[in-house]
Amino acid sequence: LKFHWTPRWRVASDDPMKALGANDPLVGSAVAHGFAEEIGQAKSSIVLISPYFVPGDHGSLSLTNAVKRGPKVSILTNSLAANDVAAVHGGYSKYRDRLIDGGVSIWELKPDPKQTGKSSMMGSSGASLHTKSAIFDDRTSFVGSFNLDPRSVKLNCEQGVFATDLELSAELAAMFSRGTSGEISWRVDHDPNGKLRWTDATRVLYEEPDASTSRRVQAKLFRWLPFDSQL
């Protein structure tokens, strides 16, 4: 365990009344506003780790526009089999293709064998991935309670710390590198024919890996239902 000390840090904490407030969620959520600023200012790389990831139209456009501007954008989230909320995965999956088409690199964490049987449609704290963090330009890191989803932006009272420190960012980047290895995660992209695929160190699959038929049905149902704001 290493301690890092830096004078360059700031706490972002949401107003508990934000759910009653402005139409613009970036006004009500200090954490979301901080993310938007860092994504907009990034010049070389954006790394996002979010157990629940539902970017919505605005978030998807922000990330794909960042790729067009220059930074490499990489995301680690839970796979369907690792996610304890099938509804959230369904909400995320509707944006997956456009993110990949827009140049965003996506990895989905494989399920933790210890959590087998603990997932449900609406959640039971059985997700494999719990870390909520980010790295911008290998210099500024975020760690906090904020998921990149509508509930964190509009409803939940979130908080976290943005810190600028090269050593801290490097340590977090090493964790991301380990977490996206083929033994631990699936790389999700399109094959030459544009079909969605999952690859790891040994296999190539064309459907949600390690997920039961019922889980796939649940996720597909919420992919088409207009419930994003509650996910």
Side-chain angles (χ1 to χ4, degrees), residues 1-57:
L1 179 65
K2 293 176 63 178
F3 287 95
H4 300 277
W5 305 93
T6 176
R8 300 180 61 188
W9 60 273
R10 71 185 191 277
V11 174
S13 182
D14 290 352
D15 186 334
M17 301 300 289
K18 73 176 186 179
L20 304 178
N23 292 326
D24 183 355
L26 297 186
V27 174
S29 173
V31 184
H33 182 74
F35 263 85
E37 281 191 335
E38 294 293 344
I39 289 172
Q41 295 170 5
K43 293 179 173 59
S44 60
S45 62
I46 299 167
V47 173
L48 305 174
I49 304 173
S50 183
Y52 298 160
F53 177 60
V54 185
D57 292 322

Side-chain angles (χ1 to χ4, degrees), residues 28-193:
S29 173
V31 184
H33 182 74
F35 263 85
E37 281 191 335
E38 294 293 344
I39 289 172
Q41 295 170 5
K43 293 179 173 59
S44 60
S45 62
I46 299 167
V47 173
L48 305 174
I49 304 173
S50 183
Y52 298 160
F53 177 60
V54 185
D57 292 322
H58 179 79
S60 299
L61 183 61
S62 176
L63 294 174
T64 54
N65 280 346
V67 174
K68 291 177 184 177
R69 196 178 69 246
K72 179 181 179 182
V73 179
S74 304
I75 297 168
L76 174 62
T77 189
N78 277 308
S79 65
L80 175 57
N83 199 323
D84 65 334
V85 187
V88 167
H89 191 87
Y92 145 68
S93 67
K94 72 176 69 175
Y95 303 102
R96 188 165 46 193
D97 284 299
R98 76 176 75 173
L99 290 168
I100 293 171
D101 287 338
V104 176
S105 299
I106 298 177
W107 286 264
E108 294 180 0
L109 198 74
K110 295 178 179 180
D112 182 345
K114 299 175 185 177
Q115 302 290 354
T116 301
K118 294 186 179 181
S119 57
S120 69
M121 181 179 289
M122 299 310 297
S124 56
S125 300
S128 290
L129 180 64
H130 298 279
T131 302
K132 305 168 184 71
S133 60
I135 316 166
F136 304 96
D137 287 343
D138 299 319
R139 295 179 60 85
T140 299
S141 301
F142 169 86
V143 178
S145 64
F146 187 80
N147 278 296
L148 293 163
D149 64 9
R151 291 192 66 85
S152 282
V153 172
K154 299 178 181 179
L155 299 176
N156 297 343
C157 188
E158 308 290 2
Q159 60 184 352
V161 176
F162 292 89
T164 300
D165 180 85
L166 290 175
E167 284 190 74
L168 178 62
S169 294
E171 190 171 315
L172 193 56
M175 292 172 59
F176 180 82
S177 181
R178 289 194 297 272
T180 55
S181 66
E183 294 78 14
I184 297 174
S185 293
W186 299 96
R187 173 67 189 271
V188 190
D189 64 2
H190 290 145
D191 72 7
N193 296 317

Side-chain angles (χ1 to χ4, degrees), residues 169-217:
S169 294
E171 190 171 315
L172 193 56
M175 292 172 59
F176 180 82
S177 181
R178 289 194 297 272
T180 55
S181 66
E183 294 78 14
I184 297 174
S185 293
W186 299 96
R187 173 67 189 271
V188 190
D189 64 2
H190 290 145
D191 72 7
N193 296 317
K195 190 173 181 180
L196 199 64
R197 67 180 176 184
W198 288 257
T199 59
D200 67 359
T202 60
R203 294 183 289 170
V204 178
L205 300 176
Y206 286 89
E207 60 180 9
E208 303 274 4
D210 302 326
S212 66
T213 300
S214 64
R215 292 283 289 170
R216 294 190 185 114
V217 170

